[in-house]
């Protein structure tokens, strides 16, 4: 089969694919929820927004669950470290993800004057996770305050409020704007009438915000001190985060991969091209607008991953214990079994997902909502 080094690379790529899949699929759910009160000015319009994502939102959330499960199995040390350091942030995300189905389900059952609370729940369930995911990625470039002693015991020196630094908050704005753009592009594709028109307009505005903030973030990264592994590292050796030397402090070190492998510039180029595509195509083709928005999501996430490689979770407390693709992975046997399982079941999941979209495709309009008052959210 594959050697240990290749398996580590495969699972780095697969985790990246899962994150991109989450941003594209569950991203339009979060984005649609976050834009609910902007795109829907009355109850009928808000029901149009909700029912445009209702057939798919719970299935799309599997991308997040699968991503978390993959990190747990493929990168157990990363999982343990991240969930310890991000405990309160992840608890807030979990609360929002629980708030979303409650708001969806109860909105159709409560009195009209109580629906505003369900609407608020949906908006918060879209905005807060998008912000936290962006802030988390922003902090990766600055390192987290954790340490490992010589017995691999973990200690965390940071706090929740340490995560809310200026660069991380800028990344949070990038995340919110691109997730909301994805939601607007989806509603432009799946609705009609005034909601469709508003969605196209909002998508253009958000695409411009993504373009500007992503460019600012990239310029900022070039001025950040980065991490570099010093000396050779045995990628086929058993994972041991303590068995390496890491230098921290070189300005622009996060750009080294792009200098070594110039083709990586395609990732940020894809993000910029996707955002420009949304701005130019939202009035002409809803389908191409959604494709452009999806490409932008992929480009932004790929840019972050390629910049950080091989680091997964850098440490600001002790750079030498930073977790990388080479020393934060599971055993060769575990990764081998996971690869076989993924090779069998991932195509099945993709086929099932495509079938669901095929069977439940179509635009949602006010006439459909008004004639199905009891069968829709």
């Amino acid at each position: 089969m594959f050697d240990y080094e290749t398996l580590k690379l495969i699972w780095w790529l697969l985790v990246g694919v899962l994150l991109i899949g989450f941003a594209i699929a569950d991203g339009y759910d979060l984005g649609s929820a976050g834009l609910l009160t902007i795109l829907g000015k009355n109850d009928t319009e808000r029901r149009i927004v909700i029912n445009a994502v209702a057939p798919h939102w719970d299935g799309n959330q599997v991308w997040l669950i699968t991503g978390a499960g993959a990190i747990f199995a493929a990168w157990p040390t990363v999982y343990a470290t991240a969930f310890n350091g991000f405990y309160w942030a992840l608890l807030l995300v979990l609360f929002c993800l629980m708030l979303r189905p409650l708001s969806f389900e109860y909105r159709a059952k409560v009195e009209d004057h109580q629906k505003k609370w369900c609407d608020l729940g949906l908006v918060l369930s879209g905005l807060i996770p998008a912000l936290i995911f962006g802030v988390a990625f922003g902090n990766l470039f600055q390192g987290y305050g954790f340490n490992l002693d010589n017995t691999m015991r973990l200690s965390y020196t940071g706090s929740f409020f340490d995560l809310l630094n200026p660069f991380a908050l800028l990344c949070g704005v990038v995340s919110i704007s691109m997730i909301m753009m994805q939601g607007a592009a989806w509603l432009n594709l799946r609705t009609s009438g005034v909601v469709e028109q508003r969605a196209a307009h909002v998508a253009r505005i958000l695409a411009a915000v993504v373009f500007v903030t992503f460019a600012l973030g990239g310029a900022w990264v070039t001025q950040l001190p980065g991490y570099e592994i010093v000396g050779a590292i045995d990628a086929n050796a058993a994972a041991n985060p303590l068995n390496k030397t890491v230098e921290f402090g070189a300005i622009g070190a996060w750009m080294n991969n792009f200098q070594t492998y110039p083709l990586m510039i395609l990732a940020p180029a894809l993000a910029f091209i996707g955002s420009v595509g949304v701005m130019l195509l939202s009035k002409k083709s809803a389908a191409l607008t959604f494709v452009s928005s999806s490409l932008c999501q992929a480009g932004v996430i790929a840019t972050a991953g390629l910049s950080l490689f091989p680091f997964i979770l850098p440490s600001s407390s002790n750079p030498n214990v930073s977790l990388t693709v080479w020393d934060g992975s599971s055993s060769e046997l575990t990764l081998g079994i996971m690869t076989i399982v993924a090779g069998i079941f991932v195509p099945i999941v993709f086929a099932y997902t495509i079938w669901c979209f095929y069977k439940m495709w179509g635009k949602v309009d006010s006439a459909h909502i008004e004639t199905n008052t009891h069968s829709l959210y």
Side-chain angles (χ1 to χ4, degrees), residues 75 78 229 233 244 310-313 322-329:
W75 301 335
V78 175
I229 296 177
I233 185 168
K244 66 178 180 300
F311 291 93
I312 305 172
L313 200 64
S322 298
L323 301 176
T324 72
V325 173
W326 312 126
D327 55 32
S329 299

Side-chain angles (χ1 to χ4, degrees), residues 1 4 7 11 330-340:
M1 201 180 169
Y4 196 17
L7 287 171
W11 278 97
S330 291
S331 68
E332 184 174 3
L333 177 61
T334 300
L335 295 182
I337 293 173
M338 289 173 63
T339 303
I340 294 172

Side-chain angles (χ1 to χ4, degrees), residues 109-233:
K109 300 174 176 62
V110 298
E111 300 294 332
D112 288 345
H113 67 277
Q114 296 174 316
K115 289 183 178 180
K116 62 182 180 181
W117 299 112
C118 295
D119 294 343
L120 177 62
L122 287 170
V123 171
L124 293 177
S125 72
L127 294 177
I128 293 176
L131 173 65
I132 290 177
F133 294 143
V135 168
F137 262 96
N139 277 281
L140 288 177
F141 288 91
Q142 301 169 96
Y144 289 100
F146 72 91
N147 195 14
L148 298 170
D149 65 15
N150 56 9
T151 61
M152 289 290 291
R153 288 185 302 178
L154 173 69
S155 59
Y156 189 74
T157 58
S159 69
F160 173 79
F161 295 102
D162 291 336
L163 305 179
L164 304 178
N165 54 77
F167 177 74
L169 290 174
L170 174 62
C171 293
V173 174
V174 175
S175 178
I176 285 181
S177 56
M178 76 178 198
I179 292 295
M180 297 302 113
M181 177 183 67
Q182 185 77 351
W186 175 258
L187 294 173
N188 185 30
L189 179 66
R190 291 296 305 275
T191 63
S192 61
V194 67
V195 175
E196 179 185 13
Q197 295 168 9
R198 288 185 193 135
H201 177 67
V202 169
R204 289 193 297 274
I205 295 173
L206 290 169
V209 175
V210 173
F211 188 99
V212 172
T213 55
F214 183 62
L216 288 174
W220 199 329
V221 167
T222 64
Q223 303 304 312
L224 286 177
Y227 291 69
E228 296 178 274
I229 296 177
V230 179
I233 185 168

Side-chain angles (χ1 to χ4, degrees), residues 291-365:
V291 170
S292 297
S293 179
S294 299
L295 291 176
C296 182
Q297 316 292 311
V300 170
I301 294 172
T303 299
L306 292 171
S307 299
L308 289 165
F309 184 85
F311 291 93
I312 305 172
L313 200 64
S315 170
S316 58
S317 297
N318 182 1
N320 290 331
V321 303
S322 298
L323 301 176
T324 72
V325 173
W326 312 126
D327 55 32
S329 299
S330 291
S331 68
E332 184 174 3
L333 177 61
T334 300
L335 295 182
I337 293 173
M338 289 173 63
T339 303
I340 294 172
V341 171
I344 296 171
F345 288 102
V346 169
I348 295 174
V349 172
F350 269 109
Y352 170 76
T353 302
I354 292 170
W355 176 254
C356 288
F357 276 90
Y358 171 73
K359 296 299 290 185
M360 292 183 282
W361 193 257
K363 284 183 174 285
V364 181
D365 55 24

